[in-house]
Amino acid sequence: MVIDTWGPEETRAFGKKMGQEARPGQVICLNGDLGVGKTIFTQGFAEGLGIDEPVNSPTFTIVQQYDTGRLPLYHFDVYRIGDISEIGYEDCFYGDGVSLIEWSQLIEEILPEHVTEITIEKDLEKGFDYRKIRVEEK
């Protein structure tokens, strides 16, 4: 599936829709360059789960856990990961919550066999706020 969004509000709304449809044990790989809207998408996703607390990128903590929604959300940002052994992922990936992993291509070797991969891309020819969001079940 490919979705075009034309501003942060639309990217957030699509994230919210995905959050409303999230299933226990789902692992979502969220990829895209710096500044494409991964955190905006994640904030909408959290809202779709019913999480009402602020959601920010956990760049320096690797994972942030949110328990106030209908499912726990484990929000990973592995951009600065030095060693995969730094990640305590088993309980998150194989538990009853949803794992959303920014920069997942950096830890492909530990990902479960089946994941939902979301890639967000800019196309400046279509405008500064345009994003192409590709969703694939793998």
Side-chain angles (χ1 to χ4, degrees):
M1 164 175 47
V2 176
I3 301 293
D4 296 320
T5 64
W6 300 93
E9 305 81 17
E10 290 183 23
T11 299
R12 185 181 179 109
F14 181 66
K16 180 177 180 179
K17 179 181 181 293
M18 294 287 298
Q20 290 168 335
E21 298 171 358
R23 306 173 311 274
Q26 189 172 16
V27 175
I28 299 172
C29 299
L30 184 57
N31 297 307
D33 291 334
L34 288 169
V36 296
K38 294 184 297 292
T39 299
I40 295 289
F41 175 90
T42 301
Q43 290 168 341
F45 189 90
E47 185 180 340
L49 286 173
I51 295 168
D52 56 3
E53 59 189 289
V55 173
N56 297 303
S57 184
T59 300
F60 295 102
T61 57
I62 300 175
V63 65
Q64 184 69 36
Q65 181 173 338
Y66 302 93
D67 292 314
T68 59
R70 69 177 176 84
L71 298 171
L73 173 62
Y74 307 106
H75 179 202
F76 292 83
D77 184 332
V78 297
Y79 182 72
R80 298 187 193 286
I81 193 76
D83 182 356
I84 291 176
S85 67
E86 295 177 36
I87 303 173
Y89 64 90
E90 291 91 349
D91 291 342
C92 301
F93 290 6
Y94 302 103
D96 293 330
V98 179
S99 295
L100 193 148
I101 310 159
E102 294 188 38
W103 301 98
S104 67
Q105 70 273 21
L106 300 174
I107 61 166
E108 287 180 341
E109 59 268 29
I110 65 169
L111 294 174
E113 184 177 347
H114 299 287
V115 300
T116 301
E117 186 172 291
I118 299 174
T119 304
I120 304 176
E121 299 172 323
K122 290 182 184 182
D123 183 344
L124 294 178
E125 290 183 10
K126 293 186 177 185
F128 181 77
D129 289 329
Y130 170 81
R131 300 297 185 265
K132 178 197 274 185
I133 305 174
R134 183 177 302 112
V135 180
E136 299 175 85
E137 296 294 328
K138 295 191 169 199

